[in-house]
Amino acid sequence: MTAVDVLFSHSYYYSFDPKQWKNKTPYPPLGTLYATSFLREAGYTVDVFDTNLIEDPFLIQPLLEQQTPRFFVLYDDGFNYLTKMCLTAMREAAFEMIKIAKKQNCHIIVSSSDATDHYEKYLDAGADIIIQGEGEITLKTLVDTLSVSDDISLISGIVYKKNNAIVKTPKRPVLHDLDQLPLPAWDLVDIDAYKSIWKQGKHPFTLNLATTRGCPYKCNWCAKPIYGNRYNSHSPAYIADHIQYLATTFNVHRFWMCDDIFGLKPNWVQEFNVELKKRSLDISYYIQSRVDLLLKEDTIDALAESGLEEVWVGAESGSQTILDAMDKGTSVAQIYDATKLLKEKNINVAFFIQFGYLNETKEDIVKTIQMIKELVPDNIGISVSYPLPGTKFYEKVKDDLKLKANWTDSDDLAMLFKGSFNSSFYKKLHRYVHKEYRKSQALQNLKKLFKHPSSIDKSELRSILLLGYYIPSAFIDNIQLKNMEHTNV
C-alpha cells in the first residue's frame, strides 16, 4: 500500500448507534467524500478510512502505519443531521482516532459540528486545528500552507492553540458557486458493502445526494454549525450529471436528497425535471421540505413527475402555539393541506414530530396525536426537543445542561433540560404515539380491505392483523402516561 498525503476519516459509526444500525440503511459520508475529491483535484494523494460500517476506531492504526500520511483529516459528513447532535459515542471514537494519529506524527485537522461547538475539547484531545464552518476551501488552504510553512495565522475559519492560548481566526465567506466542486470521491468507499447491508434489511438500495447547502429559515431550535443560515444551490444540470454518474457506475436509481430544504430556489424543481428527461434518467427519490413551500405554484406536480417517492416534512407539532414558539413559520392548516395534496399525487408523506418543547402542555400533545391520527402519514419520526449550541432554544435552557448535555446515541431521547414532563414520560409517549399511529394505519387499511379487497398487499394485511396487539397495548400505555403526568422528577 502506497503512502498518501492526506488520509480522511470521520467519526460516525453506525454500529455505535443501535437505532440507526438496526435500520440497515447506512449512507456513505457524503461531506467527507466532497472534501476528499476537492483535495485530490488539487493534486494531493488521498484516501478515506470510512468508519460507517466498522466497529472499532483502533482499526485505523494499521492504515496510518502503512500510508504514513502527513495530514490526518477527521472530516464529518455535515449532510448527516445526526452529526449535528454531537453524540457522545461518536465524540469518544473521534478522540481515540486523534490519539492514534498523534502517535504517527500527523498534522491533525478536524471539521465537524461537535468540534465547531466544542473546539477546546478537540484541541485538548490532540487535534492541531479545528475548521469552523464550510470546510473544503479552508482545508485546501491549510494543507497548501502547512506543506511549506508553519504559519497559519492568516488563514480564515480555523481555531488552534499557540503558546497554550486558543486562537480563533475570522470566519471564511461561504462558497456560493457549488458547481465548482468536483463530484464526491465515491470510488474511495466500498459501495458493495453498503449494498449488502441494505439487502440484509430488505430495502431498495439508495445513495445520498445534496443539491444545496444551508437553510435560510430560523426555527429557533435548529443549529447550522457547518453550512450556516444561508442557502446556496447546485444547478439542476450538475445534479442530473451526478445522478447519471451514479446510475452508470453503481447501477443506483434511488436517492435520498439530504438537503435541509429541497427545491427552495424558484423553478429549480421544474428545471431538474427537464434535465432528468434530457438524460433519459428514470429515478425515484425522497426529500425533506416544508409544508408552506410544497403549496407554492406547481411544485408538487413537478416533484411527482421527476420521480419523487416520499417527502419528509418538519410537521413538529399539531399545536399552533408550539409552532409559533419554535419560530417555525408554518401553520397546522398548511400541514393538513400539503399532506392531502401529496397523497392525491400518490407521493408518500412522512412527519418529523418533536415533543418536549418549552412550556408544552398536555393539550399540545393531544393536538399532535390527533393530527397524526387524522392525516395518517406514511411514516413518522418522533424525537424530543434537543438543545443544540448556537440556537435561541439552547440559550433558554443551557443552565439546565449541567449533568448531561449530549445524547449517547440517537435513541437516547433523554430530556436534557427541565421540561413540562420528564424523560420517562416522553419515552413512554414515544412508544404510545407510535402505537396510536400504527392503529390508525391499520384501521385505514381495514376500510380499504372492505372497499377494494383485491388491492390489499401483505404489509397492509399484516398491519390489520396487528390491531389485536396495538389496541390493548396503546390503551395500557395511555393509562400509564396519565399516571406519569404528575411525577415529573
Side-chain angles (χ1 to χ4, degrees), residues 73-76 109-113 115-116 129-131 133-135 226:
V73 180
L74 198 62
Y75 199 107
D76 275 2
I109 302 169
V110 182
S111 172
S112 72
S113 297
T116 295
I129 304 159
I130 309 301
I131 293 176
E134 191 175 38
I226 302 299

Side-chain angles (χ1 to χ4, degrees), residues 183-187 240-251 281:
L183 294 184
W186 292 105
D187 57 301
D241 285 344
H242 195 170
I243 289 171
Q244 189 165 42
Y245 167 79
L246 293 171
T248 302
T249 308
F250 303 114
N251 193 29
L281 289 168

Side-chain angles (χ1 to χ4, degrees), residues 16-28:
F16 293 176
D17 196 337
K19 176 183 176 181
Q20 303 304 322
W21 190 235
K22 183 181 177 183
N23 288 342
K24 296 192 182 301
T25 55
Y27 295 102

Side-chain angles (χ1 to χ4, degrees), residues 107-386:
H107 279 295
I108 300 171
I109 302 169
V110 182
S111 172
S112 72
S113 297
D114 195 30
T116 295
D117 293 334
H118 303 288
Y119 49 80
E120 304 98 328
K121 295 181 187 294
Y122 281 78
L123 293 171
D124 289 344
D128 296 304
I129 304 159
I130 309 301
I131 293 176
Q132 301 268 282
E134 191 175 38
E136 289 94 347
I137 306 296
T138 303
L139 177 60
K140 180 183 176 298
T141 307
L142 269 173
V143 173
D144 287 347
T145 302
L146 289 169
S147 295
V148 296
S149 167
D150 290 331
D151 185 8
I152 57 173
S153 60
L154 298 180
I155 298 176
S156 300
I158 60 173
V159 182
Y160 61 99
K161 274 187 179 180
K162 185 175 182 180
N163 300 325
N164 291 322
I166 289 179
V167 178
K168 193 173 184 180
T169 66
K171 288 183 178 179
R172 178 176 298 279
V174 299
L175 183 63
H176 292 282
D177 181 13
L178 300 185
D179 283 3
Q180 70 179 268
L181 295 170
L183 294 184
W186 292 105
D187 57 301
L188 295 182
V189 293
D190 187 349
I191 297 296
D192 285 340
Y194 282 91
K195 284 185 175 181
S196 175
I197 294 173
W198 281 73
K199 187 176 181 181
Q200 290 171 31
K202 299 180 180 178
H203 303 293
F205 183 61
T206 307
L207 275 180
N208 46 330
L209 291 180
T211 73
T212 62
R213 294 186 173 190
C215 174
Y217 294 95
K218 297 183 179 179
C219 306
N220 60 37
W221 44 266
C222 182
K224 305 171 181 72
I226 302 299
Y227 298 118
N229 189 218
R230 48 92 177 204
Y231 189 86
N232 293 314
S233 178
H234 283 290
S235 67
Y238 177 102
I239 297 301
D241 285 344
H242 195 170
I243 289 171
Q244 189 165 42
Y245 167 79
L246 293 171
T248 302
T249 308
F250 303 114
N251 193 29
V252 180
H253 303 278
R254 187 173 188 264
F255 301 94
W256 161 230
M257 305 297 192
C258 53
D259 313 60
D260 287 341
I261 304 290
F262 180 82
L264 173 58
K265 192 174 179 181
N267 293 317
W268 194 98
V269 171
Q270 290 80 355
E271 291 172 25
F272 176 56
N273 189 28
V274 170
E275 294 292 341
L276 290 176
K277 288 178 179 177
K278 279 184 188 177
R279 294 161 181 77
S280 300
L281 289 168
D282 183 12
I283 65 168
S284 64
Y285 65 98
Y286 56 113
I287 65 171
Q288 295 180 134
S289 190
R290 288 170 55 96
V291 290
D292 51 346
L293 292 178
L294 291 166
L295 294 170
K296 288 186 176 180
E297 302 164 346
D298 61 342
T299 298
I300 291 178
D301 288 334
L303 287 167
E305 192 174 322
S306 62
L308 182 66
E309 177 184 325
E310 182 172 73
V311 54
W312 280 83
V313 297
E316 315 304 351
S317 177
S319 165
Q320 193 61 50
T321 301
I322 295 296
L323 294 179
D324 292 344
M326 290 177 168
D327 297 323
K328 182 71 184 176
T330 56
S331 69
V332 174
Q334 288 170 330
I335 298 172
Y336 275 75
D337 291 344
T339 300
K340 290 169 184 174
L341 278 173
L342 288 163
K343 288 191 172 190
E344 285 173 10
K345 296 292 181 180
N346 294 315
I347 296 172
N348 290 343
V349 57
F351 289 173
F352 288 117
I353 297 294
Q354 184 180 154
F355 289 114
Y357 196 79
L358 281 172
N359 302 317
E360 178 180 62
T361 66
K362 183 64 186 302
E363 183 183 15
D364 296 322
I365 292 171
V366 168
K367 287 179 179 178
T368 301
I369 297 171
Q370 191 60 33
M371 178 182 75
I372 293 169
K373 291 170 70 173
E374 288 177 1
L375 292 177
V376 196
D378 296 279
N379 206 346
I380 56 173
I382 300 174
S383 187
V384 296
S385 298
Y386 186 96

